[in-house]
């Protein structure tokens, strides 16, 4: 019997898994730098499982960036993909390309209770959109609509590129330093791995501290060890994440709740839970009452993007089956 395959492809790593019986199997993570293209990476993945080209009949790949047309150019690595050539070379009948944060949003539908930590209490309204926000290499933003009965829908967007919001005189001062260092400041310029370092540089310049930390990992480690400057950077990062998440709730009517995903925040989860995130999230002037009872969770699941790619593929295959039975 032929199999389905799902992938979640980032700048550094490509995650692949088989999709069978609505579950992930044989998850592997491959470095994108090790392969000239996604086809070669998938062939290596299949060979590692003792499978030949043609063993997989359907593929869903979650990719960063807008997805349209035959040719897709990956935004964070050197790979390029032609839909027609991919299907021909890998003998695939069905190829579904979706935005990576559409996959991430769909992945929220399969979370287990132990894979999320509550940040803000509340009750999710089942008929309203849910917002998914994820600092990582960049800042991803997705929206989840629908239900298991009617079918899940994820709306792709580029919400990480909105302007960074300013909510206090202190943030206005920091924004000026950020602008001096970087020019135009998007939310992603601060709410990302590289953004953590940029924010550290700006805070040190504003407050007159000597810059001794050289990477996001060093900043996180120093903050966890009690360094006050690094701790202030983490807290401000969290506050700005709260403002951006709250803005998305207002823009989308996102009373279905907010999911904080990505690889950065779980690394300092305890500091995040004690930070100014919740206050900044709810601080919306006359609309602050709207934010009451909107739940927020920090997602700790290992492969939510892969799971979401599987959910997307499953819905397409089931739709095809229904059409075939009409």
């Amino acid at each position: 019997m032929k199999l389905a395959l799902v992938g979640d492809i980032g700048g550094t790593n490509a995650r692949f898994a088989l999709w069978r019986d609505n579950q992930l199997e044989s998850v592997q993570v491959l470095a994108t730098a090790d392969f000239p293209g996604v086809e070669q990476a998938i062939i290596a993945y299949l060979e590692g499982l003792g499978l030949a080209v043609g063993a997989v009949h359907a593929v869903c790949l979650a990719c960063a960036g807008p997805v349209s047309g035959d040719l897709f150019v990956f935004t964070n690595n050197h790979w390029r993909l032609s839909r027609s050539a991919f299907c021909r070379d890998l003998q695939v009948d069905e190829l579904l390309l979706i935005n990576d944060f559409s996959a991430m949003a769909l992945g929220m539908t399969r979370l287990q209770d132990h894979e999320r930590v509550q940040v803000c209490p509340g009750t999710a309204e089942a008929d309203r959109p849910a917002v998914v926000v994820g600092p990582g290499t960049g800042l991803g933003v997705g929206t989840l609509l629908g239900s298991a009965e009617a079918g899940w829908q994820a709306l792709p967007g580029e919400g990480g590129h909105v302007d960074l919001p300013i909510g206090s005189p202190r943030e206005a001062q920091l924004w000026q330093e950020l602008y001096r260092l970087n020019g135009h400041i998007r939310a992603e310029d601060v709410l990302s791995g590289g953004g953590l370092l940029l924010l550290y540089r700006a805070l040190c310049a504003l407050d007159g501290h000597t810059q001794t930390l050289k990477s996001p990992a060093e900043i996180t480690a120093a903050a966890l060890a009690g360094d006050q400057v690094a701790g202030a950077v983490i807290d401000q990062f969290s506050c700005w994440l709260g403002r951006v998440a709250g803005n998305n709730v207002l823009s989308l009517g996102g009373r279905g709740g907010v999911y904080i995903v990505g690889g950065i925040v779980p690394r300092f989860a305890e500091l995040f839970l004690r930070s100014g995130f919740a206050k900044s999230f709810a601080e919306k002037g006359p609309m602050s009452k709207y934010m009451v009872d909107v739940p927020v969770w920090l997602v700790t699941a290992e492969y939510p993007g892969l799971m979401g790619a599987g959910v997307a593929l499953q819905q397409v295959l089931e739709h095809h089956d229904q059409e075939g039975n009409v």
Side-chain angles (χ1 to χ4, degrees):
M1 183 179 67
K2 287 191 174 181
L3 302 168
L5 179 144
V6 294
D8 180 16
I9 300 171
T12 304
N13 294 313
R15 301 161 185 84
F16 296 111
L18 299 179
W19 180 256
R20 180 160 43 191
D21 297 328
N22 267 309
Q23 296 293 335
L24 299 173
E25 293 183 5
S26 305
V27 176
Q28 290 186 20
V29 182
L30 303 179
T32 56
D34 291 345
F35 302 92
V38 63
E39 293 92 341
Q40 291 81 3
I42 289 176
I43 289 170
Y45 168 77
L46 293 173
E47 287 178 347
L49 297 177
L51 298 173
V53 168
V56 169
H57 78 102
V59 174
C60 178
L61 300 178
C63 315
V67 178
S68 64
D70 181 74
L71 180 65
F72 180 80
V73 179
F74 292 81
T75 56
N76 294 327
N77 63 47
H78 61 284
W79 288 358
R80 299 164 67 90
L81 183 152
S82 162
R83 294 175 190 258
S84 55
F86 180 97
C87 292
R88 181 189 66 242
D89 294 344
L90 293 184
Q91 301 174 31
V92 167
D93 300 324
E94 177 95 37
L95 171 62
L96 178 64
L97 297 184
I98 63 174
N99 176 268
D100 59 337
F101 258 75
S102 293
M104 190 67 77
L106 290 170
M108 300 304 98
T109 68
R110 299 291 296 274
L111 282 182
Q112 304 297 313
D113 287 343
H114 69 275
E115 294 177 320
R116 65 183 187 181
V117 177
Q118 190 158 69
V119 181
C120 299
T123 303
E125 297 182 15
D127 61 340
R128 303 301 295 274
V131 176
V132 184
V133 183
T137 303
L139 177 66
V141 178
T143 308
L144 179 67
L145 303 171
S147 66
E149 294 76 22
W152 297 105
Q153 183 180 7
L155 302 183
E158 297 298 329
H161 298 284
V162 301
D163 295 334
L164 185 72
I166 298 173
S168 69
R170 168 70 171 177
E171 288 180 356
Q173 292 177 317
L174 275 170
W175 184 91
Q176 288 181 311
E177 287 297 330
L178 290 165
Y179 185 85
R180 183 181 65 81
L181 292 169
N182 196 71
H184 178 75
I185 300 298
R186 306 163 298 164
E188 180 174 276
D189 292 322
V190 170
L191 299 176
S192 59
L196 199 60
L197 185 59
L198 177 65
L199 181 56
Y200 169 74
R201 292 171 58 202
L203 188 143
C204 287
L206 180 62
D207 294 342
H209 300 300
T210 301
Q211 298 179 32
T212 59
L213 306 175
K214 306 298 184 185
S215 69
E218 288 185 14
I219 294 168
T220 299
L224 291 170
D227 182 272
Q228 290 187 352
V229 175
V233 172
I234 295 295
D235 188 68
Q236 184 59 62
F237 180 99
S238 302
C239 288
W240 256 319
L241 182 57
R243 297 200 192 285
V244 170
N247 284 353
N248 275 279
V249 169
L250 289 179
S251 297
L252 298 164
R255 294 187 57 81
V258 176
Y259 297 87
I260 305 299
V261 300
I264 292 180
V265 178
R267 296 173 185 169
F268 51 80
E270 291 185 9
L271 296 178
F272 179 71
L273 294 173
R274 299 198 303 265
S275 74
F277 172 91
K279 181 174 183 293
S280 298
F281 173 74
E283 203 171 51
K284 297 301 178 189
M287 290 302 294
S288 295
K289 290 183 179 179
Y290 187 87
M291 308 300 292
V292 174
D293 205 35
V294 176
V296 180
W297 299 279
L298 174 61
V299 175
T300 59
E302 193 169 12
Y303 301 114
L306 268 182
M307 182 63 77
V311 171
L313 184 58
Q314 188 71 34
Q315 291 191 153
V316 169
L317 295 177
E318 288 176 356
H319 179 70
H320 288 348
D321 287 343
Q322 291 170 3
E323 288 182 333
N325 292 328
V326 173

